[in-house]
Coordinates of all heavy atoms in Angstrom, one line a residue:
E595 N 29.3 19.0 -18.1 CA 27.9 18.6 -18.4 C 27.6 17.2 -18.1 O 26.5 16.8 -17.6 CB 27.6 18.9 -19.9 CG 27.6 20.4 -20.2 CD 27.2 20.8 -21.6 OE1 26.6 19.9 -22.2 OE2 27.3 21.9 -22.0
C596 N 28.6 16.3 -18.3 CA 28.4 14.8 -18.1 C 28.1 14.6 -16.5 O 27.3 13.8 -16.2 CB 29.6 14.1 -18.5 SG 29.6 13.8 -20.3
I597 N 28.8 15.4 -15.7 CA 28.6 15.2 -14.3 C 27.2 15.7 -13.9 O 26.5 15.0 -13.1 CB 29.7 16.0 -13.5 CG1 31.1 15.3 -13.6 CG2 29.3 16.1 -12.0 CD1 32.2 16.1 -13.0
V598 N 26.8 16.8 -14.4 CA 25.4 17.2 -14.1 C 24.4 16.2 -14.6 O 23.4 15.9 -13.8 CB 25.1 18.6 -14.8 CG1 23.8 19.1 -14.5 CG2 26.1 19.7 -14.3
Y599 N 24.5 15.7 -15.8 CA 23.6 14.7 -16.2 C 23.7 13.4 -15.4 O 22.7 12.8 -15.1 CB 23.8 14.4 -17.7 CG 23.1 15.4 -18.6 CD1 23.8 16.5 -19.2 CD2 21.8 15.3 -18.9 CE1 23.2 17.4 -20.0 CE2 21.1 16.2 -19.7 CZ 21.8 17.3 -20.3 OH 21.2 18.2 -21.1
G600 N 24.9 13.1 -14.9 CA 25.1 11.9 -14.1 C 24.3 12.1 -12.8 O 23.7 11.2 -12.2
L601 N 24.5 13.3 -12.2 CA 23.7 13.6 -10.9 C 22.2 13.5 -11.2 O 21.4 13.1 -10.3 CB 24.1 15.0 -10.5 CG 25.5 15.2 -9.9 CD1 25.8 16.6 -9.6 CD2 25.7 14.4 -8.6
Y602 N 21.8 14.0 -12.4 CA 20.3 13.9 -12.7 C 19.9 12.4 -12.7 O 18.8 12.1 -12.2 CB 20.1 14.5 -14.1 CG 18.7 14.4 -14.5 CD1 17.7 15.3 -14.2 CD2 18.3 13.3 -15.3 CE1 16.4 15.2 -14.5 CE2 17.0 13.2 -15.7 CZ 16.0 14.1 -15.3 OH 14.7 14.0 -15.7
V603 N 20.7 11.5 -13.2 CA 20.4 10.1 -13.1 C 20.1 9.6 -11.7 O 19.2 9.0 -11.4 CB 21.5 9.2 -13.7 CG1 21.3 7.7 -13.5 CG2 21.7 9.4 -15.2
L604 N 21.0 10.1 -10.8 CA 20.8 9.7 -9.4 C 19.5 10.3 -8.8 O 18.7 9.5 -8.3 CB 22.0 10.2 -8.5 CG 23.4 9.7 -8.9 CD1 24.4 10.2 -7.9 CD2 23.5 8.2 -9.0
F605 N 19.4 11.6 -9.0 CA 18.3 12.2 -8.3 C 16.9 12.1 -9.0 O 15.9 12.4 -8.4 CB 18.6 13.7 -8.1 CG 19.6 14.0 -7.0 CD1 21.0 13.9 -7.3 CD2 19.3 14.1 -5.7 CE1 21.9 14.1 -6.3 CE2 20.2 14.3 -4.7 CZ 21.5 14.3 -5.0
N606 N 16.9 11.6 -10.2 CA 15.7 11.3 -10.9 C 15.3 9.8 -10.8 O 14.3 9.4 -11.3 CB 15.7 11.8 -12.3 CG 14.4 11.8 -13.0 OD1 13.4 12.4 -12.5 ND2 14.2 11.2 -14.2
S607 N 16.1 9.0 -10.2 CA 15.8 7.6 -10.1 C 14.8 7.4 -9.0 O 14.7 8.1 -8.0 CB 17.1 6.8 -9.8 OG 17.6 7.1 -8.5
A608 N 14.1 6.3 -9.1 CA 13.2 5.8 -8.0 C 13.9 5.4 -6.8 O 13.5 5.6 -5.7 CB 12.3 4.6 -8.5
L609 N 15.2 4.9 -7.0 CA 15.9 4.4 -5.8 C 16.3 5.6 -4.9 O 16.1 5.4 -3.7 CB 17.2 3.7 -6.3 CG 17.9 2.8 -5.3 CD1 17.1 1.7 -4.8 CD2 19.2 2.3 -5.9
Y610 N 16.9 6.6 -5.4 CA 17.2 7.8 -4.6 C 16.0 8.5 -4.0 O 16.0 9.0 -2.8 CB 18.1 8.7 -5.4 CG 19.6 8.4 -5.2 CD1 20.2 7.5 -6.1 CD2 20.4 8.9 -4.2 CE1 21.5 7.1 -5.9 CE2 21.7 8.6 -4.1 CZ 22.3 7.7 -4.9 OH 23.6 7.3 -4.8
D611 N 15.0 8.5 -4.8 CA 13.7 9.1 -4.3 C 13.2 8.4 -3.0 O 12.8 8.9 -2.0 CB 12.6 9.2 -5.3 CG 11.4 10.0 -4.9 OD1 11.6 11.3 -4.8 OD2 10.4 9.5 -4.8
E612 N 13.2 7.0 -3.1 CA 12.7 6.2 -2.1 C 13.7 6.3 -0.9 O 13.2 6.4 0.3 CB 12.6 4.8 -2.5 CG 12.0 3.8 -1.4 CD 10.6 4.2 -1.0 OE1 9.8 4.7 -1.8 OE2 10.3 4.0 0.2
Y613 N 15.0 6.4 -1.1 CA 16.0 6.5 -0.1 C 15.7 7.8 0.8 O 15.7 7.8 2.0 CB 17.4 6.5 -0.7 CG 18.5 6.6 0.4 CD1 19.1 5.4 0.8 CD2 18.9 7.8 0.9 CE1 20.1 5.4 1.8 CE2 19.9 7.8 1.9 CZ 20.5 6.6 2.2 OH 21.5 6.6 3.2
Y614 N 15.4 8.9 0.0 CA 15.2 10.1 0.8 C 13.9 10.2 1.5 O 13.9 10.7 2.6 CB 15.2 11.3 -0.2 CG 15.3 12.6 0.5 CD1 16.5 13.1 0.9 CD2 14.1 13.3 0.8 CE1 16.6 14.3 1.7 CE2 14.2 14.5 1.5 CZ 15.4 15.0 2.0 OH 15.5 16.1 2.7
R615 N 12.9 9.5 1.0 CA 11.7 9.3 1.8 C 11.8 8.5 3.0 O 11.2 8.8 4.1 CB 10.6 8.7 0.9 CG 10.0 9.5 -0.2 CD 9.1 8.8 -1.0 NE 8.5 9.6 -2.1 CZ 7.4 10.3 -2.0 NH1 6.7 10.4 -0.9 NH2 7.0 11.1 -3.0
I616 N 12.7 7.5 3.0 CA 13.0 6.7 4.2 C 13.7 7.6 5.2 O 13.5 7.5 6.4 CB 13.9 5.5 3.8 CG1 13.1 4.5 2.9 CG2 14.3 4.8 5.1 CD1 13.9 3.4 2.3
L617 N 14.6 8.4 4.7 CA 15.5 9.3 5.6 C 14.7 10.4 6.2 O 14.9 10.8 7.4 CB 16.6 9.8 4.8 CG 17.6 10.7 5.5 CD1 18.2 10.1 6.7 CD2 18.7 11.2 4.5
N618 N 13.8 11.0 5.4 CA 13.1 12.2 5.8 C 11.6 12.1 5.6 O 11.2 12.0 4.4 CB 13.7 13.4 5.2 CG 13.2 14.8 5.6 OD1 12.0 14.9 5.8 ND2 14.0 15.7 5.9
G619 N 10.8 12.3 6.6 CA 9.3 12.1 6.3 C 8.6 13.4 5.9 O 7.5 13.4 5.6
S620 N 9.4 14.5 5.9 CA 8.8 15.8 5.6 C 8.8 16.1 4.1 O 9.4 15.2 3.3 CB 9.5 17.0 6.3 OG 10.7 17.3 5.6
T621 N 8.1 17.1 3.6 CA 8.1 17.4 2.2 C 9.2 18.4 1.8 O 9.3 18.8 0.7 CB 6.8 18.1 1.9 OG1 6.6 19.2 2.7 CG2 5.6 17.1 2.1
Q622 N 10.1 18.6 2.7 CA 11.3 19.5 2.4 C 12.5 18.8 2.1 O 12.8 17.8 2.9 CB 11.5 20.5 3.6 CG 12.7 21.5 3.4 CD 12.7 22.5 4.5 OE1 11.8 22.8 5.2 NE2 13.9 23.1 4.6
V623 N 13.2 19.1 1.1 CA 14.5 18.5 0.8 C 15.6 19.3 1.3 O 15.9 20.4 0.9 CB 14.6 18.4 -0.8 CG1 16.0 17.8 -1.1 CG2 13.5 17.5 -1.4
N624 N 16.3 18.8 2.3 CA 17.3 19.5 3.1 C 18.7 19.2 2.5 O 19.0 18.0 2.3 CB 17.3 19.1 4.6 CG 16.0 19.5 5.2 OD1 15.6 20.7 5.1 ND2 15.4 18.7 6.0
S625 N 19.5 20.3 2.3 CA 20.8 20.1 1.7 C 21.7 19.3 2.7 O 22.5 18.5 2.2 CB 21.4 21.5 1.4 OG 21.5 22.2 2.5
T626 N 21.5 19.5 4.0 CA 22.4 18.7 4.9 C 22.2 17.2 4.8 O 23.2 16.4 4.7 CB 22.0 19.1 6.4 OG1 22.2 20.5 6.6 CG2 22.8 18.3 7.4
E627 N 21.0 16.7 4.6 CA 20.7 15.3 4.4 C 21.2 14.8 3.0 O 21.7 13.7 2.9 CB 19.2 15.1 4.6 CG 18.8 15.3 6.0 CD 17.3 15.4 6.2 OE1 16.6 15.5 5.3 OE2 16.9 15.4 7.4
I628 N 20.9 15.7 2.0 CA 21.4 15.2 0.7 C 22.9 15.1 0.7 O 23.5 14.1 0.1 CB 21.0 16.3 -0.4 CG1 19.5 16.3 -0.5 CG2 21.7 16.0 -1.7 CD1 18.8 15.0 -1.1
N629 N 23.6 16.0 1.3 CA 25.1 15.9 1.4 C 25.6 14.8 2.2 O 26.8 14.4 2.1 CB 25.7 17.2 1.9 CG 25.6 18.4 0.9 OD1 25.7 18.2 -0.3 ND2 25.2 19.6 1.5
A630 N 24.8 14.1 3.0 CA 25.2 12.9 3.7 C 24.8 11.6 3.0 O 25.2 10.6 3.5 CB 24.5 13.0 5.1
M631 N 24.0 11.7 2.0 CA 23.6 10.5 1.2 C 24.7 9.8 0.5 O 25.6 10.5 0.0 CB 22.5 10.9 0.3 CG 21.1 11.2 1.0 SD 19.9 11.9 -0.2 CE 19.7 10.5 -1.4
P632 N 24.7 8.5 0.5 CA 25.8 7.8 -0.3 C 25.7 8.0 -1.7 O 24.6 7.9 -2.3 CB 25.6 6.3 0.2 CG 24.2 6.2 0.6 CD 23.8 7.6 1.1
V633 N 26.8 8.2 -2.4 CA 26.8 8.4 -3.9 C 28.0 7.6 -4.5 O 28.9 7.3 -3.8 CB 26.9 9.9 -4.3 CG1 25.6 10.6 -3.9 CG2 28.1 10.5 -3.8
P634 N 27.9 7.3 -5.8 CA 29.0 6.6 -6.4 C 30.2 7.6 -6.6 O 30.1 8.8 -6.3 CB 28.5 6.3 -7.9 CG 27.0 6.4 -7.7 CD 26.8 7.4 -6.7
D635 N 31.4 7.1 -7.0 CA 32.5 8.0 -7.2 C 32.3 8.9 -8.4 O 31.4 8.7 -9.2 CB 33.8 7.2 -7.4 CG 33.7 6.2 -8.6 OD1 33.6 6.7 -9.8 OD2 33.6 5.0 -8.4
L636 N 33.1 10.0 -8.6 CA 32.9 11.0 -9.6 C 32.9 10.4 -11.0 O 32.2 10.8 -11.9 CB 33.9 12.1 -9.4 CG 33.6 13.4 -10.1 CD1 32.3 14.0 -9.6 CD2 34.7 14.4 -9.9
E637 N 33.9 9.5 -11.2 CA 34.0 8.9 -12.5 C 32.8 8.1 -13.0 O 32.3 8.2 -14.1 CB 35.2 7.9 -12.5 CG 35.6 7.4 -13.9 CD 36.9 6.6 -13.8 OE1 37.8 6.9 -13.0 OE2 36.9 5.6 -14.7
S638 N 32.2 7.4 -12.0 CA 30.9 6.6 -12.3 C 29.8 7.6 -12.6 O 29.0 7.3 -13.5 CB 30.6 5.7 -11.1 OG 31.6 4.7 -10.9
I639 N 29.7 8.6 -11.8 CA 28.6 9.6 -12.1 C 28.8 10.2 -13.5 O 27.8 10.4 -14.2 CB 28.6 10.7 -11.0 CG1 28.2 10.1 -9.6 CG2 27.7 11.9 -11.3 CD1 28.3 11.1 -8.5

């Protein structure tokens, strides 16, 4: 549950939202691009 909530911190932050907008101009969130985004290590999440 802590990992899920940690992922929520990332994906609900303004920083990650802006990063994705820079990466992709469409309104679709693609799993390929999300899987290529930089993230902290598992322990930090």
Side-chain angles (χ1 to χ4, degrees):
E595 292 187 12
C596 284
I597 291 175
V598 177
Y599 277 98
L601 289 171
Y602 177 85
V603 170
L604 302 185
F605 286 87
N606 194 51
S607 70
L609 195 60
Y610 270 85
D611 189 69
E612 183 60 33
Y613 185 94
Y614 193 80
R615 286 175 180 270
I616 295 169
L617 177 60
N618 185 314
S620 76
T621 56
Q622 182 171 338
V623 177
N624 295 312
S625 56
T626 301
E627 292 164 348
I628 296 293
N629 288 323
M631 287 170 63
V633 296
D635 58 71
L636 197 61
E637 188 176 325
S638 297
I639 292 174

